[in-house]
């Protein structure tokens, strides 16, 4: 008999049915023309989950669900896995020497947030509505062509055409820092040169933007004492990730698993 294309997963005798794996695939990315990739990711994820829950049961971990957000509490399984990992993984705090050495590798990596001054023209639309989005894009491209041809007309074009309240200021948005705009807008600010206008309209959840960067100030490097807590936290998280990966690899190496591929080396 031929093996099924998408088999059940079995972890130490515990069967994870293909229906559960199929439901889990929605949480994993993969090319549409290669559904097997998302399936394997889902199978592996559920196999790891089963391993951890089995080990939590073996150790007699008691679930203690905690609040993880407003109105959101861990499930019992999530609490068991968290409790197991807290018990199994011991990450020592990095020493002062290693923290300082990490900073000294390149102190310029740790800077105050950059600041930008920018203006924009917004052609508002719901990007999920394809027909409306396309009409708005054509209008945005026409406006972009106007201000690219005559940059000094930007404020006038913004006042006459922008769908943003900043049109009253000629599209000027004032001083902006990281997180003050949507990610698509900020990404453009980070790559534009001062005085430059986007030749192509930029799409965000608000619609199409034509953006001009008026000024930019790169954040100054921060002193060691200011960034030490951030470096220490990042080092602890990295060490914890390695510890969790090694712990799961140990469980997988000692387990009998079929239908999933958990690398142990």
């Amino acid at each position: 008999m031929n093996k099924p294309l998408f088999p059940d997963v079995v972890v130490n005798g515990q069967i994870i049915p293909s229906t559960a794996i199929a439901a889990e695939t929605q949480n994993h990315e993969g090319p549409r023309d290669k559904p097997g990739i998302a399936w394997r990711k889902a199978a592996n994820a559920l196999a790891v989950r089963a391993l951890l829950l089995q080990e939590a049961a073996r150790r007699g971990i008691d679930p203690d669900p905690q609040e993880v957000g407003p109105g959101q509490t861990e499930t019992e399984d999530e609490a068991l896995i968290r409790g197991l990992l807290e018990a199994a993984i011991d990450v020592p705090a990095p020493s002062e020497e290693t923290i300082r050495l990490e900073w000294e590798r390149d102190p310029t990596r740790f800077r105050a947030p950059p600041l930008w001054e920018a203006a924009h023209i917004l052609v508002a639309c719901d990007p999920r509505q394809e027909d409306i989005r396309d009409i708005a894009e054509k209008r945005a491209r026409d406006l972009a062509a106007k201000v690219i041809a005559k940059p000094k007309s930007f404020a006038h074009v913004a006042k006459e055409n922008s769908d943003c309240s900043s049109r009253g200021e000629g599209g000027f948005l004032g001083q902006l820092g990281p997180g003050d705009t949507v990610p698509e807008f900020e990404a453009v600010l980070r790559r534009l040169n001062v005085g430059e206008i986007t030749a192509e309209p930029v799409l965000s959840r608000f619609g199409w933007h034509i953006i001009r960067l008026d000024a930019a100030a790169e954040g100054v490097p921060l002193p060691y004492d200011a960034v030490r807590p951030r470096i220490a936290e990042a080092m602890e998280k990295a060490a914890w990730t390695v510890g969790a990966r090694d712990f799961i690899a140990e469980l997988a190496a000692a387990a009998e698993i079929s239908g999933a591929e958990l690398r142990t080396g």
Side-chain angles (χ1 to χ4, degrees), residues 107-227:
T108 62
R109 291 177 296 159
F110 308 100
R111 295 177 175 272
L115 291 173
W116 305 282
E117 288 186 359
H120 83 143
I121 299 167
L122 173 66
V123 179
C125 70
D126 184 342
R128 296 170 297 181
Q129 299 180 0
E130 186 174 350
D131 292 346
I132 295 175
R133 183 191 67 212
D134 291 346
I135 293 170
E137 181 182 10
K138 184 180 183 307
R139 179 173 167 234
R141 287 186 178 278
D142 290 342
L143 294 174
K146 286 183 180 181
V147 295
I148 290 291
K150 294 183 178 180
K152 291 183 179 180
S153 70
F154 194 100
H156 175 74
V157 173
K159 287 180 179 179
E160 294 294 319
N161 298 278
S162 182
D163 295 323
C164 177
S165 59
S166 65
R167 64 180 175 270
E169 302 297 326
F172 186 62
L173 295 170
Q175 199 170 77
L176 303 169
D180 287 343
T181 63
V182 291
E184 302 88 346
F185 198 108
E186 183 175 318
V188 172
L189 293 179
R190 289 182 179 275
R191 66 174 182 261
L192 279 179
N193 296 317
V194 173
E196 187 178 358
I197 300 171
T198 50
E200 297 285 331
V202 178
L203 184 64
S204 79
R205 65 174 178 265
F206 298 112
W208 294 97
H209 305 262
I210 303 154
I211 304 169
R212 184 188 69 199
L213 180 62
D214 296 330
E218 186 176 7
V220 297
L222 295 169
Y224 173 73
D225 288 343
V227 298

Side-chain angles (χ1 to χ4, degrees), residues 21-106:
I21 301 169
E24 174 68 17
T25 57
Q26 66 182 326
N27 300 319
H28 302 273
E29 294 182 354
R32 290 186 177 181
D33 60 339
K34 295 181 180 179
I37 292 177
W39 182 275
R40 285 194 296 272
K41 289 180 179 179
N44 292 346
L46 292 181
V48 168
R49 184 182 182 88
L51 278 174
L52 293 172
L53 290 173
Q54 290 172 7
E55 181 65 12
R58 188 186 73 80
R59 295 191 182 202
I61 302 290
D62 290 324
D64 180 22
Q66 296 184 2
E67 186 174 351
V68 294
Q72 293 182 311
T73 304
E74 290 176 318
T75 66
E76 186 169 298
D77 283 355
E78 289 169 342
L80 282 170
I81 290 172
R82 177 181 50 76
L84 170 65
L85 294 177
E86 287 175 352
I89 302 171
D90 182 19
V91 176
S95 68
E96 189 67 28
E97 180 183 6
T98 58
I99 297 171
R100 183 170 285 276
L101 284 173
E102 177 62 22
W103 176 75
E104 289 177 347
R105 275 199 316 117
D106 183 6

